[in-house]
């Protein structure tokens, strides 16, 4: 790829102006940089949705303020949820701990040292009940960031909703459930790509029928960017993953106009202000064209890319952490000017620990200031028609489309992942950026420029080390208290569905209700589908 | 004095999280700096890492931890190496580790911990100044 062109010739010593992705920027853009045909851009709420999915954008409906939260026990996280709702947050977003994300119960040896540390610990339906205790699941939408064990967490969520008297059809929310980007970037997995995609398609099929307000997958560029990709790679690999899911769902016989409206997206908001705004606009336009031209979608909701976004964790610095408040505000503003539907703003202390209550409140207030003080929400896509923004939008779209063509030529995204193509492209970009930082060609304020010697410590959130043993004991007691024969039968039914291709969701819901744990079901996945191992490409 | 041979370094990623951006960048930077580098890949247990260190006969192990499990994983790896008679393999690390944990881990035998923002050149310079091939 030509992402990082070698500089040769007479101008090699001239100053170079490029985005954080190292895309060169012209000194001035003008009318000649706009598409000749205005329908290439279109209007807000019009194909190809460059200017946003809705005609009135934030005048009609503000974005959802959704702070990602989870630490310690389910009870600890439930208290944080209630705090955030009391502060004016409008949706929930759940972070699970590493054992939950990788399909191990809290009492498993591989969970040692990790329980409740990067999110909340959920091994059983009892934990899930506690997590959502006292929260009106018919009134809030809940996002759950979980992937290889997502099918079990979703089954538990449906079981909790049933106990609250809320039918599946009334539940709104999103489960991340994007395994293709796990193999590419975030790297939490159980089984190889093919069975992983099969489980996802089971969930899409089930939700389309039974929980039509729920988004069964959130196709995520966030982690691709965090792993070090460029903005173009983020768009390209995310949409290539989306193509992979649409292909697989159509292969199951699902109609694109029926299931595609429930596909949602998740992008990163990094430091480069104009590039990020253009990236979101490019992603919407390219997706609309792909859905129409490649898949023949006609339902407008199947064509429009709707997205959550989160400010870039990797842009935050441990040095002079108060500066992170400013970074997050700029990134969030780029997201709003780029037209996102839902937003998480990172907390200033997140390079040091999970966020404290005070830090998370400043992050939420940042969104509220943008929404209610800045005035940028008064008109749809205020930067539409800007020469620079439209030029960057077209360029990111074209370069992302090039990548997608390369992936098509390899035989699709699953094959490209098996070949390590996106993984290696991202590692290359990450290394390139690190070398630019080391040479001072790119600046991180407080890190490679404007450093301070001594810095005052911040008050950080600490996880009680005794939590782990308490949680493990709780799981052991839960397993002893259930009806063992019935739990065994339910687990056998899950195994049967793994083998014969029956949709996994009904037996999973029945299993978690009977006390089968997340780790036990993931053990069945490991036995039936095999275990994926990191190819450890450098 | 014997001529000093090239250092062999195992870059290892213990724990359940998949944050391998740092580990991969360090592995490449160390290789570019002329060291022999072996990268374990993700999701390694302490046993797997100690075993790989012995099999590959390395002089040092660089551990990348961003999951918050450093207080469990570093000491477990050091203990296993000592049990296997390889207590002289130098251990260093990087990741999100609070200052008070760094002090405790150094007391347990971790030689250095690099936190977010460390430049690769700084890490290479530290290795050159502080790590000798085993047996020298």
């Amino acid at each position: 790829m030509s992402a990082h062109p070698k500089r040769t010739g007479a101008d090699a010593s001239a100053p170079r102006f490029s985005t954080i992705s190292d895309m060169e920027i012209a000194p001035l853009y003008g009318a000649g940089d706009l598409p000749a045909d205005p329908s290439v851009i279109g209007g807000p709420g019009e194909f190809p949705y460059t200017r946003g999915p809705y005609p009135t954008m934030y005048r009609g409906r503000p974005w959802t303020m959704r702070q990602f939260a989870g630490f310690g026990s389910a009870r600890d996280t439930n208290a944080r949820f209630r705090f955030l709702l009391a502060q004016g947050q409008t949706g929930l977003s759940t972070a699970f701990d590493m054992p939950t994300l990788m399909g191990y119960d809290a009492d498993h040896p591989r969970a040692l040292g990790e329980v409740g540390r990067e999110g909340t610990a959920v091994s059983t339906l009892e934990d899930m009940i506690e997590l959502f205790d006292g929260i009106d699941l018919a009134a809030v939408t809940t996002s759950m960031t979980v992937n290889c064990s997502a099918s079990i967490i979703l089954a538990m969520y449906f079981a909790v909703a049933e106990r609250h008297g809320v039918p599946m059809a009334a539940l709104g929310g999103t489960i991340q459930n994007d395994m293709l980007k796990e193999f590419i970037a975030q790297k939490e997995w159980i089984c190889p790509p093919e069975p992983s995609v099969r489980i996802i398609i089971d969930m899409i099929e089930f939700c389309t029928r039974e929980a039509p307000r729920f988004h069964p997958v959130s196709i995520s560029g966030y982690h691709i960017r965090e792993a070090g990709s460029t903005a173009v790679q983020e768009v390209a690999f995310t949409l290539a993953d989306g193509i992979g899911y649409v292909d697989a769902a159509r292969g199951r016989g699902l109609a694109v106009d029926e299931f595609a409206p429930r596909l949602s997206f998740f992008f990163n908001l990094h430091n480069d202000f104009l590039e990020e705004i253009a990236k979101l606009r490019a992603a919407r336009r390219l997706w609309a064209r792909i859905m129409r031209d490649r898949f023949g979608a006609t339902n407008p909701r199947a064509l429009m890319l709707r997205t959550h976004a989160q400010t870039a964790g990797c842009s935050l610095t441990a040095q002079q952490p108060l500066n992170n408040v400013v970074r997050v505000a700029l990134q969030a503003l780029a997201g709003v000017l780029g037209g996102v539907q839902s937003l998480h703003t990172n907390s200033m202390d997140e390079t040091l620990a999970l966020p404290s209550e005070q830090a998370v409140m400043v992050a939420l207030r940042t969104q509220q200031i943008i929404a209610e003080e800045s005035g940028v929400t008064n008109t749809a896509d205020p930067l539409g028609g800007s020469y620079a923004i439209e030029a960057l939008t077209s360029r990111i779209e074209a370069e992302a489309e090039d990548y997608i063509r390369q992936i098509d030529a390899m035989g699709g995204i699953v094959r490209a992942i098996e070949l390590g193509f996106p993984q290696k492209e991202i590692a290359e970009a990450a290394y390139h950026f690190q070398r630019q930082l080391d040479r001072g060609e790119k600046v991180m304020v407080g890190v490679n420029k404007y450093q301070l010697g001594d810095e005052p410590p911040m008050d950080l959130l600490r996880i009680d080390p005794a939590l782990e043993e308490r949680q493990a004991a709780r799981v052991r007691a839960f397993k002893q208290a259930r009806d063992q024969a019935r739990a065994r039968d339910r687990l056998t039914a899950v195994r049967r569905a793994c083998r014969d291709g029956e949709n996994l969701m009904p037996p999973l819901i029945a299993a978690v209700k009977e006390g089968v744990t997340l780790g036990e079901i993931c053990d069945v996945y490991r036995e039936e589908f095999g275990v994926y191992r990191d190819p450890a490409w450098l | 004095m014997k001529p000093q041979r090239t250092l062999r370094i195992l870059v290892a990623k213990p724990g359940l999280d998949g944050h391998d951006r740092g580990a991969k960048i360090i592995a490449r930077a160390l290789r570019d700096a002329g060291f022999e580098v072996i990268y374990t890949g993700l999701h390694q247990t302490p046993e797997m890492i100690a075993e790989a260190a012995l099999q590959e006969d390395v002089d040092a192990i660089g551990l990348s931890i961003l999951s918050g499990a450093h207080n469990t994983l570093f000491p477990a790896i050091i203990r296993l190496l000592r049990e296997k008679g390889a207590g002289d393999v130098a251990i260093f690390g990087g990741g999100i580790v609070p200052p008070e944990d760094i002090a405790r881990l150094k007391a347990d035998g971790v030689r250095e911990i690099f936190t977010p923002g460390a430049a690769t050149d700084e890490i290479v310079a530290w290795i050159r100044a502080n790590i000798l091939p085993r047996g020298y």
Side-chain angles (χ1 to χ4, degrees), chain B residues 2-59:
Chain B
K2 290 188 276 184
Q4 193 172 310
R5 62 175 170 79
T6 306
L7 281 174
R8 282 174 69 76
I9 301 174
L10 182 72
V11 173
K13 188 74 190 69
L16 294 177
D17 68 295
H19 299 107
D20 62 355
R21 177 175 178 172
K24 286 184 160 192
I25 284 176
I26 293 303
R28 268 187 81 165
L30 298 186
R31 188 179 286 175
D32 286 356
F35 303 117
E36 288 177 23
V37 177
I38 302 109
Y39 173 53
T40 61
L42 286 161
H43 309 141
Q44 303 289 298
T45 61
E47 290 76 13
M48 291 155 90
I49 291 168
E51 190 55 36
L54 290 177
Q55 291 285 326
E56 297 286 350
D57 194 22
V58 298
D59 304 298

Coordinates of all heavy atoms in Angstrom, one line a residue, chain B residues 2-59:
Chain B
K2 N 35.4 -12.3 27.3 CA 34.9 -13.0 26.1 C 34.2 -11.9 25.2 O 33.6 -11.0 25.8 CB 33.8 -14.0 26.5 CG 34.5 -15.2 27.1 CD 33.4 -16.3 27.3 CE 32.7 -16.1 28.6 NZ 31.7 -17.2 28.9
P3 N 34.1 -12.1 23.9 CA 33.3 -11.1 23.1 C 31.9 -11.3 23.4 O 31.4 -12.5 23.5 CB 33.7 -11.5 21.6 CG 34.1 -12.9 21.7 CD 34.8 -13.1 23.1
Q4 N 31.2 -10.2 23.5 CA 29.8 -10.3 24.0 C 28.9 -10.8 22.8 O 28.9 -10.2 21.7 CB 29.3 -9.0 24.5 CG 28.0 -9.1 25.3 CD 27.7 -7.8 26.0 OE1 28.6 -7.3 26.7 NE2 26.5 -7.3 25.8
R5 N 28.1 -11.8 23.0 CA 27.2 -12.2 21.9 C 25.9 -11.4 21.9 O 25.6 -10.7 22.9 CB 26.9 -13.7 22.0 CG 26.2 -14.1 23.3 CD 25.8 -15.6 23.3 NE 25.3 -15.9 24.6 CZ 24.1 -15.6 25.1 NH1 23.2 -15.0 24.3 NH2 23.7 -16.0 26.3
T6 N 25.1 -11.5 20.9 CA 23.8 -10.8 20.7 C 22.8 -11.2 21.8 O 22.7 -12.4 22.0 CB 23.2 -11.0 19.3 OG1 24.3 -10.7 18.4 CG2 22.0 -10.2 19.1
L7 N 22.2 -10.3 22.4 CA 21.2 -10.7 23.4 C 20.0 -11.3 22.8 O 19.5 -10.9 21.7 CB 20.7 -9.4 24.1 CG 21.5 -8.8 25.2 CD1 20.9 -7.5 25.6 CD2 21.7 -9.7 26.4
R8 N 19.4 -12.4 23.4 CA 18.2 -13.0 23.0 C 17.1 -12.6 24.0 O 17.2 -12.8 25.2 CB 18.3 -14.5 23.0 CG 19.1 -15.1 21.8 CD 19.3 -16.5 21.9 NE 18.1 -17.4 21.8 CZ 17.5 -17.6 20.6 NH1 18.0 -17.1 19.5 NH2 16.5 -18.4 20.6
I9 N 16.0 -12.0 23.4 CA 15.0 -11.5 24.3 C 13.6 -12.1 23.9 O 13.3 -12.1 22.7 CB 14.9 -9.9 24.1 CG1 16.3 -9.3 24.5 CG2 13.8 -9.4 25.0 CD1 16.4 -7.8 24.3
L10 N 12.9 -12.6 24.9 CA 11.5 -13.0 24.7 C 10.6 -11.9 25.0 O 10.6 -11.4 26.1 CB 11.3 -14.2 25.6 CG 9.9 -14.9 25.5 CD1 9.8 -15.7 24.2 CD2 9.6 -15.8 26.7
V11 N 9.8 -11.5 24.0 CA 8.7 -10.6 24.3 C 7.4 -11.4 24.5 O 7.0 -12.1 23.6 CB 8.5 -9.5 23.1 CG1 7.3 -8.7 23.4 CG2 9.8 -8.7 23.0
A12 N 6.8 -11.2 25.7 CA 5.8 -12.1 26.1 C 4.5 -11.3 26.5 O 4.6 -10.2 27.1 CB 6.2 -13.0 27.2
K13 N 3.4 -11.9 26.2 CA 2.1 -11.2 26.5 C 1.3 -12.1 27.4 O 0.5 -12.9 26.9 CB 1.4 -10.9 25.2 CG 0.2 -10.1 25.3 CD 0.5 -8.6 25.5 CE -0.7 -7.8 25.9 NZ -1.3 -8.2 27.2
P14 N 1.4 -12.0 28.7 CA 0.6 -12.8 29.6 C -0.8 -12.2 29.8 O -1.0 -11.1 29.4 CB 1.4 -12.8 30.9 CG 2.1 -11.4 30.9 CD 2.4 -11.1 29.4
G15 N -1.7 -13.0 30.4 CA -3.0 -12.5 30.7 C -4.0 -12.7 29.6 O -3.7 -13.2 28.5
L16 N -5.2 -12.4 29.9 CA -6.3 -12.7 29.0 C -6.6 -11.6 28.0 O -7.3 -11.8 27.0 CB -7.6 -13.0 29.8 CG -7.6 -14.2 30.7 CD1 -8.9 -14.3 31.5 CD2 -7.4 -15.5 29.8
D17 N -6.1 -10.4 28.2 CA -6.5 -9.3 27.3 C -5.7 -9.4 26.0 O -4.7 -10.0 25.9 CB -6.2 -7.9 28.0 CG -4.7 -7.7 28.2 OD1 -4.1 -8.4 28.9 OD2 -4.2 -6.8 27.5
G18 N -6.2 -8.6 25.0 CA -5.6 -8.7 23.6 C -4.9 -7.5 23.2 O -4.6 -7.3 22.0
H19 N -4.4 -6.7 24.2 CA -3.7 -5.4 23.8 C -2.3 -5.7 23.4 O -1.4 -5.6 24.2 CB -3.8 -4.5 25.0 CG -5.1 -4.1 25.5 ND1 -5.7 -4.6 26.6 CD2 -6.0 -3.3 24.9 CE1 -6.9 -4.1 26.8 NE2 -7.2 -3.3 25.7
D20 N -2.1 -6.0 22.1 CA -0.7 -6.4 21.7 C 0.0 -5.4 20.9 O 1.0 -5.6 20.4 CB -0.8 -7.8 21.0 CG -1.6 -7.7 19.7 OD1 -2.2 -6.7 19.4 OD2 -1.6 -8.7 18.9
R21 N -0.6 -4.2 20.8 CA 0.0 -3.1 20.0 C 1.4 -2.8 20.6 O 2.4 -2.7 19.9 CB -0.9 -1.8 20.1 CG -0.3 -0.7 19.4 CD -1.2 0.5 19.3 NE -0.6 1.7 18.7 CZ -1.3 2.8 18.4 NH1 -2.6 2.9 18.7 NH2 -0.7 3.8 17.8
G22 N 1.5 -2.6 21.9 CA 2.8 -2.3 22.5 C 3.8 -3.4 22.4 O 4.9 -3.2 22.0
A23 N 3.3 -4.6 22.7 CA 4.3 -5.8 22.6 C 4.8 -5.9 21.2 O 6.0 -6.2 21.0 CB 3.5 -7.1 23.0
K24 N 4.0 -5.7 20.2 CA 4.5 -5.9 18.8 C 5.4 -4.8 18.4 O 6.4 -5.0 17.7 CB 3.3 -5.9 17.9 CG 2.5 -7.2 17.9 CD 1.5 -7.3 16.9 CE 1.0 -8.7 16.6 NZ 0.2 -8.8 15.4
I25 N 5.1 -3.6 18.9 CA 6.0 -2.4 18.5 C 7.4 -2.6 19.2 O 8.4 -2.5 18.6 CB 5.4 -1.1 19.0 CG1 4.3 -0.7 18.0 CG2 6.4 0.0 19.1 CD1 3.5 0.5 18.4
I26 N 7.3 -3.1 20.5 CA 8.6 -3.3 21.2 C 9.4 -4.4 20.5 O 10.6 -4.3 20.3 CB 8.4 -3.6 22.7 CG1 7.8 -2.4 23.4 CG2 9.6 -4.1 23.4 CD1 8.6 -1.1 23.3
A27 N 8.7 -5.5 20.2 CA 9.4 -6.6 19.5 C 10.1 -6.2 18.3 O 11.3 -6.5 18.0 CB 8.4 -7.7 19.3
R28 N 9.4 -5.4 17.5 CA 10.0 -4.9 16.2 C 11.1 -3.9 16.5 O 12.2 -4.0 15.8 CB 9.0 -4.2 15.4 CG 8.3 -5.1 14.4 CD 7.4 -4.4 13.5 NE 8.1 -3.8 12.4 CZ 7.5 -3.3 11.3 NH1 6.2 -3.5 11.2 NH2 8.1 -2.8 10.4
A29 N 11.0 -3.0 17.5 CA 12.0 -2.0 17.8 C 13.3 -2.7 18.3 O 14.4 -2.4 17.9 CB 11.5 -1.0 18.8
L30 N 13.1 -3.8 19.1 CA 14.3 -4.5 19.6 C 15.0 -5.2 18.5 O 16.2 -5.3 18.4 CB 13.9 -5.5 20.7 CG 13.2 -4.9 22.0 CD1 13.0 -5.9 23.0 CD2 14.0 -3.7 22.6
R31 N 14.2 -5.8 17.6 CA 14.8 -6.5 16.4 C 15.5 -5.5 15.6 O 16.7 -5.8 15.2 CB 13.7 -7.2 15.6 CG 14.2 -8.1 14.6 CD 13.0 -8.7 13.8 NE 12.4 -9.8 14.6 CZ 11.3 -10.4 14.2 NH1 10.7 -10.1 13.1 NH2 10.8 -11.4 15.0
D32 N 14.9 -4.3 15.3 CA 15.6 -3.3 14.5 C 16.9 -2.8 15.2 O 17.8 -2.3 14.5 CB 14.6 -2.1 14.2 CG 13.6 -2.4 13.2 OD1 13.6 -3.6 12.6 OD2 12.7 -1.6 13.0
A33 N 16.9 -2.9 16.5 CA 18.1 -2.4 17.3 C 19.2 -3.5 17.3 O 20.2 -3.3 17.8 CB 17.7 -2.1 18.7
G34 N 18.9 -4.7 16.7 CA 19.9 -5.7 16.5 C 19.8 -6.9 17.5 O 20.7 -7.8 17.5
F35 N 18.8 -6.9 18.4 CA 18.7 -8.0 19.3 C 18.0 -9.2 18.6 O 17.3 -9.0 17.6 CB 17.9 -7.6 20.5 CG 18.4 -6.5 21.3 CD1 17.7 -5.3 21.4 CD2 19.7 -6.5 21.9 CE1 18.2 -4.2 22.1 CE2 20.2 -5.5 22.6 CZ 19.5 -4.3 22.7
E36 N 18.2 -10.4 19.1 CA 17.4 -11.5 18.6 C 16.1 -11.6 19.4 O 16.1 -11.6 20.7 CB 18.2 -12.8 18.8 CG 19.3 -13.0 17.9 CD 20.1 -14.2 18.1 OE1 19.6 -15.2 18.7 OE2 21.3 -14.2 17.8
V37 N 15.0 -11.5 18.7 CA 13.7 -11.4 19.4 C 12.8 -12.5 19.1 O 12.6 -12.9 17.9 CB 13.0 -10.0 19.0 CG1 11.6 -9.9 19.7 CG2 13.9 -8.9 19.4
I38 N 12.2 -13.1 20.1 CA 11.1 -14.1 20.0 C 9.8 -13.5 20.6 O 9.9 -13.0 21.7 CB 11.5 -15.4 20.7 CG1 12.8 -15.9 20.2 CG2 10.4 -16.5 20.5 CD1 14.0 -15.8 21.1
Y39 N 8.7 -13.6 19.9 CA 7.5 -13.1 20.4 C 6.5 -14.2 20.6 O 6.3 -15.1 19.7 CB 6.9 -12.1 19.4 CG 5.5 -11.6 19.7 CD1 5.2 -11.1 21.0 CD2 4.4 -11.7 18.8 CE1 3.9 -10.7 21.3 CE2 3.1 -11.3 19.1 CZ 2.9 -10.8 20.4 OH 1.6 -10.4 20.7
T40 N 5.9 -14.3 21.8 CA 5.1 -15.5 22.2 C 3.7 -15.4 21.6 O 3.1 -16.5 21.5 CB 4.9 -15.5 23.7 OG1 4.2 -14.3 24.1 CG2 6.1 -15.6 24.5
G41 N 3.2 -14.2 21.2 CA 1.8 -14.1 20.9 C 1.0 -13.9 22.2 O 1.6 -13.9 23.3
L42 N -0.3 -13.9 22.1 CA -1.2 -13.5 23.2 C -1.6 -14.6 24.1 O -1.4 -15.8 23.8 CB -2.5 -12.9 22.6 CG -2.4 -11.5 21.9 CD1 -3.6 -11.3 21.0 CD2 -2.4 -10.5 23.0
H43 N -2.2 -14.2 25.2 CA -2.9 -15.1 26.1 C -2.0 -16.2 26.7 O -2.4 -17.3 26.8 CB -4.1 -15.7 25.4 CG -5.0 -14.7 24.7 ND1 -5.6 -15.0 23.5 CD2 -5.4 -13.5 25.1 CE1 -6.3 -13.9 23.1 NE2 -6.2 -13.0 24.1
Q44 N -0.8 -15.8 27.1 CA 0.1 -16.8 27.6 C 0.0 -16.9 29.1 O -0.2 -15.9 29.8 CB 1.6 -16.4 27.3 CG 1.8 -16.2 25.8 CD 1.9 -17.5 25.1 OE1 2.7 -18.3 25.3 NE2 0.9 -17.6 24.1
T45 N 0.0 -18.2 29.6 CA 0.1 -18.4 31.1 C 1.5 -18.2 31.5 O 2.4 -18.3 30.7 CB -0.4 -19.8 31.4 OG1 0.5 -20.7 30.8 CG2 -1.8 -20.1 30.9
P46 N 1.7 -18.0 32.8 CA 3.1 -17.9 33.4 C 3.9 -19.2 33.0 O 5.1 -19.1 32.7 CB 2.9 -17.8 34.9 CG 1.6 -17.0 35.0 CD 0.7 -17.6 33.9
E47 N 3.2 -20.3 33.1 CA 3.9 -21.6 32.7 C 4.4 -21.6 31.3 O 5.5 -22.0 31.0 CB 3.0 -22.8 33.0 CG 2.7 -23.1 34.4 CD 1.6 -22.1 35.0 OE1 1.0 -21.3 34.3 OE2 1.5 -22.1 36.3
M48 N 3.5 -21.1 30.4 CA 3.9 -21.1 29.0 C 5.1 -20.1 28.7 O 6.0 -20.4 27.9 CB 2.7 -20.6 28.1 CG 1.6 -21.6 28.0 SD 0.0 -20.8 27.7 CE -0.1 -20.9 25.9
I49 N 5.1 -19.0 29.4 CA 6.2 -18.0 29.2 C 7.5 -18.6 29.8 O 8.6 -18.5 29.1 CB 5.8 -16.7 29.9 CG1 4.6 -16.1 29.1 CG2 7.0 -15.7 30.0 CD1 4.0 -14.9 29.8
A50 N 7.5 -19.2 31.0 CA 8.7 -19.7 31.6 C 9.3 -20.8 30.7 O 10.5 -20.9 30.4 CB 8.4 -20.2 33.0
E51 N 8.4 -21.7 30.2 CA 8.8 -22.8 29.3 C 9.4 -22.2 28.0 O 10.5 -22.7 27.6 CB 7.5 -23.6 29.0 CG 7.8 -24.9 28.3 CD 8.8 -25.8 29.0 OE1 8.8 -25.8 30.3 OE2 9.6 -26.4 28.4
A52 N 8.8 -21.2 27.4 CA 9.3 -20.6 26.2 C 10.7 -20.0 26.5 O 11.6 -20.1 25.6 CB 8.4 -19.5 25.6
A53 N 10.9 -19.4 27.6 CA 12.2 -18.7 28.0 C 13.3 -19.8 28.0 O 14.4 -19.6 27.5 CB 12.0 -18.0 29.3
L54 N 12.9 -21.0 28.6 CA 13.9 -22.0 28.7 C 14.2 -22.6 27.3 O 15.4 -22.8 26.9 CB 13.4 -23.1 29.6 CG 13.3 -22.7 31.1 CD1 12.8 -23.9 31.9 CD2 14.7 -22.4 31.6
Q55 N 13.1 -22.9 26.6 CA 13.3 -23.5 25.3 C 14.1 -22.7 24.3 O 14.9 -23.2 23.6 CB 11.9 -23.7 24.6 CG 11.0 -24.7 25.2 CD 11.4 -26.2 24.9 OE1 11.9 -26.4 23.8 NE2 11.3 -27.1 25.8
E56 N 13.9 -21.4 24.4 CA 14.5 -20.4 23.5 C 15.9 -19.9 24.1 O 16.6 -19.2 23.4 CB 13.6 -19.2 23.2 CG 12.3 -19.6 22.5 CD 12.6 -20.0 21.0 OE1 13.7 -19.7 20.5 OE2 11.6 -20.5 20.4
D57 N 16.2 -20.3 25.3 CA 17.4 -20.0 25.9 C 17.7 -18.5 25.9 O 18.7 -18.0 25.4 CB 18.6 -20.7 25.2 CG 19.9 -20.7 26.0 OD1 19.8 -20.4 27.3 OD2 21.0 -20.8 25.4
V58 N 16.7 -17.7 26.4 CA 16.8 -16.2 26.3 C 17.6 -15.6 27.5 O 17.7 -16.3 28.5 CB 15.4 -15.6 26.2 CG1 14.7 -16.0 24.9 CG2 14.6 -15.8 27.4
D59 N 18.1 -14.4 27.3 CA 18.8 -13.7 28.3 C 17.8 -12.8 29.1 O 18.1 -12.5 30.3 CB 19.8 -12.8 27.7 CG 20.8 -13.6 26.8 OD1 21.5 -14.5 27.4 OD2 20.8 -13.3 25.6

